Amino acid sequence: METVRFSTIDARSAQYWVLLGLLAFGALVGYLAAHHMDVEGHHITGMNNQIVWGFPHVVAVFLIVAASGALNVASISSVFGKIDYKPLARLSALLAIALLVGGLIILVLDLGRPDRLIVAMTVYNFKSIFAWNIFLYVGFIFITAVYLWMMMERKMNRFTRSAGFAAFIWRLILTTGTGSIFGFLVARQAYDAAIMAPLFIIMSFSFGLAVFILVLQASYAWTRRQLGDAIMDKLRVLLGIFIAAVFYFVLVYHLTNLYATEHHGVERFILVDGGIYTFLFWVAQIFIGSVVPLALIFVKPLNQSRHMISLAALLVIAGGLAQLYVIIIGGQAYPLVLFPGMEESSSFFDGVVGQYAPSIFEILLGVGGVCVALIIVTVGIAILEFLPESLSDKALRLDPVTS
Amino acid sequence: MACSVLLSGAVSGGPEDIPPPKGVYSEDTLCVEPVEVMRRQHFDYILDHRDRTVVEGIRTKQYSLIGCIDCHITPNAQGEYARYSQDTHFCASCHLFTAVNIDCFQCHADRPEEAIRKAQEPDVKAQQSVPELHETLQFSTITFDR
Amino acid sequence: MSTEPVMRYTLDITEDISVERRNFTQGIAALAGLTLAPGVFLYCAAEAKPDDQAVSSQQRWGMLVNTNNCQEDCDACVSACNEENGLWSLGRPATDAQWIRKLNVKDRQTGHVTSMPMMCQHCEHPPCVDVCPTGASFRRVDGIVLVNKHTCIGCRYCMMACPYKARSFIHEPLQDQLPHSPRGKGCVESCTLCVHKVDRGDNNTACAEACAKEGHQALLFGDLNDPESEISKRLEQFGGTQIRADLGLNTGVRYQGI
Ligand code: SF4
Ligand code: SF4
């Protein structure tokens, strides 16, 4: 593998600056939206006292979950010794950091008091899984950066494996932590499930790889570098396995919930009569986000086209966002049960399905966070050697795909 | 620099139309500490007192923000109390001038209670009564299975 | 640069207790109608703790709601709370703060409706405190659960965690807050059990006072740790239920008749 040569991309092209300009614009608009939310207060958003976490949290959690998943490709090469993936490891680590930063920016800007970020960074309540997550995030960025350094600095190469191992363990803990943010909410019917943490881990595999595939394809197409079929084929199959795994975990989650009578209400809400949430679950998450991509990946002749892999990755991302929307917002929309079996009503929306529609500001903030993540990648690959000059079958010495 | 501003600004009276404080703290001191100390370090006292009040429930008056406001924010000749957004407000007169931003009054009352109650009176929006709200909110009561 | 000498003072935050005490003793003397020799304190004259004394875990403040006395069409407690704490409605029910609300619970089998006020239950093991990343949500040693708005970052995790939907987020800039009830945009708040009244020695909350004034006597405030208090006696005699007792939070607000 020593023959794989990395180089920075040529940042002088007009195309590159247009891309960067667009992303910067998106990030700026996102910031302005957040600023407006801060000045006016959150009443201009769709969020209220019933749905306290809204669209920004959906995007942020998606990015954070995808961040740890994006590191997978690197882990597979360093930890599991799959040498074929090694040329992709650097990009994988860069993407992981970028996505995490993008997600965190959204979370911070959505705070009621973003000006008190310093409080969040200095005062901790160690019983809070949220506080733990702050550590996990900062640690993740640090460890992944060290890991990158080990990979990119020839003298340090021998430590790559240990650093990769540390990063791998850290990312498992991180995603467990993210999942536990919801898993710890015992009072909420939708979240009171031990399977939340493993579900989030497997979701991260799938979302992270989908984002990785898209970024990889785009950067190779736009820089006219060669991307061989052999490596794409490996990523395609891997994505297929992850999608199937998420599907399986979702199945188990709902089956166990259906088994416990106290969860019948919320299950009925999500699966049958929850309106938008039921629609998002069946149509967006299950059909568009799982069934269609699985078909695109495994059914011949669909799976022969490079475009179909991109499409599958895109659909996985759309399905993933829908899945998190259902988990985060659907889970809050379902009313808290104070008196099981009774009908509740009050002036504070007891017993009533919470109403929520994202406002334009929340959407812009979410998009802004994505733009920040992509800016980091775009700038990163221009100033440091993240991308192999060629990923053609020949350069990688992989057998051409025969199927 | 800030020092000279503080001294010249506040000692020489500042804007003429800041109403004087209600009274003096005790026979020996005008304010709760010597005036020069307060001018420079009032925030340390307030900050320290704040944590003790919120967490421990200590409610002494000497360094309480309510006490500061009660004494320092007094009505002008027209009987009006200044808000923090006006430069005739005791705190604002200096903070605006020195551009030291504080967020105390995003949450805390910037005037004594009687002034606030008075401001509220004409348009105290009575909270919508519960039965009325019940009617408007009954649109989608859902039931629970058990 | 200024040429004026910079004066430095050491900060000595020991309060001038003599002034405070003087006021305090005068207050008590007036209250109890006694003339006291200087320096003689008669603590039993009033229940109020001295201002300079920290609250202690000897007390646990709580509330008993007798739903049998609570009237479905009455919301005196809610209005009293809004008035006491300056919770002016902004006409947006979904984002307006509500510290206490009237909850009607209907048994679908029998059609029987139970009406009761619902607010922060002042849990002994509060989930809101457990999840708060900065420790802004905290339980005062005397059992009152509060938000320290100086450290609350407005993440709303506590609202996700509270089983009783007892918390409100402030969705807009506020003005004209009352001095004893500071509140503002971007922080979370909830029932304080009228902590300012408790510390003042009122030994009652605005909602309970209002309920009694209506003649309904559905709310009783008191010290759960004091076996001689009215609330403890009544709880011992008639018992009191916790809502969602399954969560094991040992709430400070108990209900009868549910
Ligand atoms: S009722 Fe809710 S807000 Fe009150 S202490 Fe318990 S968890 Fe916290
Ligand atoms: S909103 Fe404030 S009180 Fe609630 S968990 Fe976050 S920081 Fe703590």
Side-chain angles (χ1 to χ4, degrees):
Chain A
M1 267 311 120
E2 287 306 317
T3 51
V4 172
R5 287 194 24 210
F6 291 86
S7 67
T8 57
I9 64 162
D10 178 14
R12 282 167 306 186
S13 69
Q15 222 186 354
Y16 179 83
W17 287 101
V18 169
L19 174 67
L20 206 55
L22 283 177
L23 292 176
F25 179 73
L28 180 71
V29 171
Y31 173 75
L32 291 178
H35 182 71
H36 188 58
M37 275 161 59
D38 187 29
V39 171
E40 293 289 315
H42 276 62
H43 79 91
I44 61 166
T45 70
M47 292 177 268
N48 50 47
N49 282 329
Q50 284 67 47
I51 311 284
V52 303
W53 286 351
F55 190 73
H57 301 81
V58 172
V59 181
V61 171
F62 179 88
L63 289 178
I64 291 168
V65 164
S68 72
L71 194 64
N72 254 334
V73 177
S75 304
I76 293 172
S77 80
S78 322
V79 180
F80 300 107
K82 294 268 189 278
I83 203 99
D84 299 344
Y85 289 96
K86 200 170 163 198
L88 301 179
R90 293 182 183 184
L91 178 65
S92 150
L94 172 67
L95 189 59
I97 295 180
L99 291 174
L100 187 65
V101 170
L104 290 182
I105 284 187
I106 299 179
L107 276 191
V108 166
L109 288 179
D110 178 74
L111 291 178
R113 305 284 319 218
D115 51 320
R116 296 215 180 120
L117 179 62
I118 194 74
V119 174
M121 305 294 289
T122 48
V123 189
Y124 291 108
N125 164 23
F126 285 101
K127 254 189 121 173
S128 168
I129 188 78
F130 230 44
W132 280 99
N133 272 294
I134 296 172
F135 271 110
L136 292 175
Y137 297 151
V138 175
F140 182 81
I141 293 176
F142 177 74
I143 291 187
T144 311
V146 170
Y147 178 34
L148 259 177
W149 180 42
M150 303 291 139
M151 283 193 283
M152 296 176 84
E153 173 70 56
R154 198 168 283 272
K155 279 182 299 209
M156 294 292 180
N157 276 176
R158 61 208 157 96
F159 299 118
T160 301
R161 208 190 134 96
S162 342
F165 192 71
F168 177 68
I169 298 293
W170 197 270
R171 59 140 310 209
L172 287 184
I173 303 175
L174 180 135
T175 323
T176 310
T178 311
S180 305
I181 288 180
F182 300 96
F184 274 44
L185 301 172
V186 286
R188 300 248 174 197
Q189 306 278 313
Y191 303 140
D192 176 20
I195 201 173
M196 231 41 180
L199 175 65
F200 267 68
I201 291 186
I202 203 71
M203 276 156 63
S204 82
F205 285 7
S206 160
F207 305 166
L209 188 59
V211 176
F212 181 82
I213 288 176
L214 283 181
V215 168
L216 184 73
Q217 285 189 319
S219 48
Y220 273 70
W222 293 341
T223 55
R224 299 201 184 76
R225 296 186 183 200
Q226 289 196 338
L227 186 56
D229 281 334
I231 191 77
M232 283 312 289
D233 205 53
K234 281 178 183 294
L235 293 175
R236 173 179 67 86
V237 174
L238 202 57
L239 183 63
I241 294 171
F242 290 159
I243 299 171
V246 173
F247 191 69
Y248 171 77
F249 267 80
V250 169
L251 200 70
V252 172
Y253 168 79
H254 286 291
L255 283 179
T256 44
N257 260 359
L258 283 172
Y259 190 74
T261 330
E262 64 168 314
H263 289 140
H264 282 183
V266 69
E267 280 303 305
R268 202 186 149 76
F269 177 68
I270 299 291
L271 301 182
V272 183
D273 55 13
I276 177 76
Y277 307 106
T278 306
F279 173 82
L280 282 177
F281 178 79
W282 289 110
V283 178
Q285 178 185 339
I286 298 298
F287 186 69
I288 296 181
S290 307
V291 178
V292 177
L294 278 177
L296 292 178
I297 284 171
F298 289 121
V299 177
K300 280 185 194 167
L302 286 178
N303 62 2
Q304 302 302 313
S305 155
R306 189 72 69 81
H307 293 301
M308 288 304 152
I309 306 182
S310 319
L311 183 61
L314 259 179
L315 293 183
V316 167
I317 292 175
L321 284 168
Q323 180 170 12
L324 287 168
Y325 197 96
V326 171
I327 293 179
I328 296 178
I329 297 173
Q332 297 171 81
Y334 185 74
L336 269 179
V337 180
L338 290 181
F339 293 89
M342 305 278 200
E343 216 172 276
E344 297 164 22
S345 62
S346 79
S347 56
F348 203 57
F349 304 91
D350 284 275
V352 168
V353 173
Q355 302 290 316
Y356 175 80
S359 66
I360 183 74
F361 308 107
E362 295 161 85
I363 295 172
L364 290 177
L365 172 58
V367 173
V370 174
C371 288
V372 168
L374 293 179
I375 288 174
I376 294 175
V377 175
T378 314
V379 173
I381 57 178
I383 55 176
L384 287 174
E385 295 172 348
F386 283 105
L387 292 185
E389 282 178 354
S390 170
L391 285 172
S392 66
D393 299 355
K394 206 162 124 248
L396 296 176
R397 298 184 195 160
L398 289 172
D399 296 332
V401 192
T402 44
S403 66
Chain B
M1 189 58 215
C3 166
S4 63
V5 166
L6 273 173
L7 293 178
S8 59
V11 170
S12 61
E16 238 70 277
D17 32 328
I18 299 176
K22 220 184 231 168
V24 295
Y25 180 67
S26 71
E27 299 91 45
D28 345 301
T29 44
L30 291 176
C31 199
V32 296
E33 290 290 332
V35 172
E36 313 81 70
V37 178
M38 287 311 284
R39 211 164 266 162
R40 202 156 300 286
Q41 295 177 317
H42 59 286
F43 189 61
D44 294 309
Y45 292 107
I46 296 175
L47 189 66
D48 180 82
H49 184 78
R50 156 194 121 174
D51 292 333
R52 293 201 283 166
T53 304
V54 175
V55 179
E56 296 169 45
I58 289 174
R59 298 273 187 175
T60 47
K61 306 283 183 304
Q62 189 174 2
Y63 302 126
S64 99
L65 185 61
I66 297 183
C68 306
I69 295 295
D70 274 349
C71 188
H72 279 286
I73 310 301
T74 50
N76 61 13
Q78 288 76 48
E80 290 155 355
Y81 293 83
R83 290 168 181 265
Y84 182 71
S85 54
Q86 297 164 310
D87 61 0
T88 47
H89 186 277
F90 176 78
C91 308
S93 66
C94 213
H95 277 276
L96 291 180
F97 190 59
T98 54
V100 177
N101 259 324
I102 52 169
D103 57 4
C104 310
F105 301 111
Q106 286 179 19
C107 294
H108 284 280
D110 56 358
R111 289 158 294 155
E113 176 153 3
E114 65 264 20
I116 285 165
R117 293 266 182 211
K118 212 161 77 190
Q120 279 294 337
E121 255 163 34
D123 59 344
V124 177
K125 292 155 228 139
Q127 293 253 348
Q128 213 175 349
S129 76
V130 173
E132 258 175 64
L133 264 178
H134 271 201
E135 275 161 32
T136 56
L137 296 181
Q138 286 298 332
F139 48 85
S140 60
T141 306
I142 78 157
T143 50
F144 304 103
D145 290 294
R146 170 133 243 206
Chain C
M1 277 305 290
S2 154
T3 50
E4 284 178 65
V6 178
M7 287 178 283
R8 276 253 138 253
Y9 298 88
T10 51
L11 185 65
D12 176 20
I13 305 194
T14 41
E15 298 201 34
D16 187 354
I17 298 298
S18 59
V19 176
E20 299 270 340
R21 266 296 146 75
R22 201 157 56 233
N23 297 340
F24 173 65
T25 29
Q26 278 161 5
I28 292 193
L31 198 78
L34 292 171
T35 329
L36 292 170
V40 176
F41 301 113
L42 194 53
Y43 280 112
C44 56
E47 290 224 359
K49 72 170 178 60
D51 280 346
D52 60 330
Q53 189 176 304
V55 291
S56 94
S57 54
Q58 238 127 56
Q59 276 92 34
R60 178 169 186 211
W61 301 113
M63 188 94 100
L64 177 59
V65 182
N66 185 346
T67 61
N68 298 317
N69 289 355
C70 180
Q71 306 298 309
E72 197 183 330
D73 55 358
C74 170
D75 66 348
C77 51
V78 180
S79 319
C81 177
N82 293 339
E83 181 66 19
E84 176 71 28
N85 296 294
L87 313 182
W88 329 113
S89 163
L90 292 140
R92 291 189 285 261
T95 50
D96 277 346
Q98 281 203 38
W99 292 5
I100 181 170
R101 61 191 194 266
K102 278 300 297 288
L103 179 67
N104 290 336
V105 178
K106 184 168 165 192
D107 187 332
R108 273 182 288 142
Q109 184 68 44
T110 62
H112 179 75
V113 176
T114 315
S115 186
M116 71 196 84
M118 174 58 57
M119 61 287 205
C120 173
Q121 304 285 298
H122 297 280
C123 315
E124 188 189 354
H125 309 290
C128 58
V129 172
D130 287 348
V131 301
C132 176
T134 65
S137 284
F138 71 105
R139 183 177 177 277
R140 221 169 70 153
V141 288
D142 60 357
I144 303 182
V145 175
L146 297 171
V147 179
N148 184 345
K149 287 164 195 162
H150 303 106
T151 44
C152 170
I153 54 174
C155 67
R156 288 118 57 218
Y157 196 17
C158 53
M159 300 178 72
M160 293 287 277
C162 172
Y164 306 95
K165 223 154 75 83
R167 300 200 146 194
S168 298
F169 180 67
I170 301 309
H171 288 76
E172 52 274 294
L174 301 180
Q175 56 175 4
D176 291 341
Q177 295 93 324
L178 295 175
H180 57 258
S181 175
R183 42 197 299 270
K185 186 199 76 189
C187 291
V188 165
E189 58 187 33
S190 56
C191 158
T192 63
L193 216 56
C194 280
V195 63
H196 57 287
K197 283 168 70 68
V198 173
D199 287 351
R200 197 160 70 197
D202 287 11
N203 204 17
N204 212 344
T205 61
C207 52
E209 282 169 0
C211 185
K213 205 163 140 213
E214 290 292 306
H216 296 148
Q217 312 286 358
L219 290 170
L220 177 63
F221 171 87
D223 180 3
L224 300 173
N225 277 358
D226 172 8
E228 292 309 310
S229 69
E230 174 74 12
I231 187 171
S232 299
K233 285 191 202 147
R234 274 217 244 157
L235 276 170
E236 190 185 0
Q237 197 178 350
F238 305 109
T241 322
Q242 305 179 49
I243 293 175
R244 294 236 39 198
D246 57 319
L247 297 172
L249 307 176
N250 190 12
T251 57
V253 178
R254 300 297 176 104
Y255 289 79
Q256 285 174 342
I258 56 169

